[in-house]
Amino acid sequence: MDFDSVAMILALPVVGQAALVNLWIAVVATAIALVIATAITILRALRVAPLTAAIDIVVSAVRGTPILIQIFLFYYGLPSLGLDISPLVAGFCAVAFNSSMFVSELMRGGITGMDRGPVEAAVALALPRRIIWLKVILPQLYLRILPALIGEVTMVVKATVLLSSITVVEALRTAQQIASSNFRFLEMMLAAGIALAAINLAIAATGTLIERRIAAMRG
C-alpha cells in the first residue's frame, strides 16, 4: 500500500484537536506536580530521618517503574478501593503523581546549588520559617528549575499518549480510531506525531520566551 499523504493531511485537524487533550493534561498535571513537589521539598528540609527515608523510597519506586504500569495501577486500583472515577481522571492522577516525583528531584537539585546569602540574611533578621520559604527560597528555586520544568512539561505531553491504553480519547487514540476505518495506520501515526511535536515545540518556544523576559527583568 502506497503512502497516502492526503489522508494524513486530512486527519491532521482532527488529530490536532485531540492533541489539545494531551496538552491540557500535561500542563495541569505538571502544575499539580509542582505543588506536590514543593511540599516534598519542604518536608525533606525538616530533616526527619524516617520521613525523609519514606519520601526517598516512594520517589525511587515511582522513578524506577514504567509510567504505563502506574497508569494501570491508578486505573484498576482506585476503583477497587471504592472510588468510581473515569479513565481520564485515573490517567490524570497517574501522570500528575509520576511527574511530581521527577519535579521533586529537580527541586532537590536546584535547592542544593542555590545562593545561601539571602536565606542567611532572612534568618539573621529572625523572619518566620514560613516567610523565608515563601519570599526567599521558593521564588529563587522556581526560577532555577524553570528550564528543566519546561522540559518536564514536554516529557509529560509525550507520556500522555499512554493514556490511550485506558481508553482516554487523545491524539493517539483518535489516530487509532481513524486508522481502524481507513486502514492508513502509518499515516495516522505520523499525523499524531506531527500534532504532538508541534505542541512540544510551542511549549519549548514559550519557555524560552519566558526565560528571556525574566532575564531582562533581572537585568
Side-chain angles (χ1 to χ4, degrees):
M1 184 181 293
D2 295 332
F3 180 81
D4 190 348
S5 59
V6 174
M8 183 186 72
I9 293 171
L10 291 175
L12 274 173
V14 179
V15 176
Q17 185 71 24
L20 295 178
V21 175
N22 300 80
L23 175 62
W24 176 80
I25 293 173
V27 172
V28 179
T30 306
I32 293 174
L34 183 60
V35 174
I36 297 173
T38 299
I40 290 173
T41 301
I42 294 173
L43 290 174
R44 275 174 166 162
L46 298 176
R47 300 185 184 280
V48 179
L51 180 60
T52 301
I55 290 173
D56 289 342
I57 290 172
V58 173
V59 172
S60 297
V62 173
R63 296 182 68 203
T65 55
I67 186 174
L68 183 59
I69 292 178
Q70 295 166 30
I71 291 170
F72 285 141
L73 287 175
F74 274 84
Y75 181 60
Y76 294 110
L78 293 181
S80 69
L81 296 176
L83 297 175
D84 186 15
I85 58 175
S86 67
L88 178 60
V89 173
F92 178 82
C93 291
V95 171
F97 182 70
N98 177 272
S99 181
S100 68
M101 300 299 110
F102 285 89
V103 176
S104 72
E105 290 300 287
L106 295 179
M107 295 184 74
R108 181 162 71 167
I111 204 169
T112 300
M114 230 169 54
D115 181 12
R116 303 297 301 176
V119 178
E120 292 172 357
V123 172
L125 292 172
L127 293 178
R129 182 184 293 269
R130 177 176 61 86
I131 298 300
I132 293 175
W133 274 100
L134 290 176
K135 301 294 185 180
V136 181
I137 298 176
L138 291 179
Q140 290 187 67
L141 182 56
Y142 291 150
L143 287 176
R144 285 182 64 86
I145 69 168
L146 179 60
L149 191 61
I150 296 297
E152 175 65 13
V153 177
T154 63
M155 294 297 293
V156 174
V157 169
K158 290 185 283 188
T160 56
V161 300
L162 296 174
L163 300 184
S164 64
S165 63
I166 57 172
T167 71
V168 174
V169 180
E170 42 66 65
L172 180 59
R173 183 77 174 182
T174 300
Q176 290 172 330
Q177 290 173 342
I178 297 173
S180 66
S181 62
N182 64 10
F183 302 103
R184 293 287 178 175
F185 291 94
L186 174 60
E187 292 87 340
M188 297 307 103
M189 294 304 104
L190 286 174
I194 291 170
L196 293 170
I199 285 176
N200 274 342
L201 288 173
I203 292 171
T206 302
T208 300
L209 180 61
I210 293 172
E211 289 178 51
R212 288 177 179 174
R213 288 191 175 181
I214 291 174
M217 289 172 60
R218 299 176 68 182

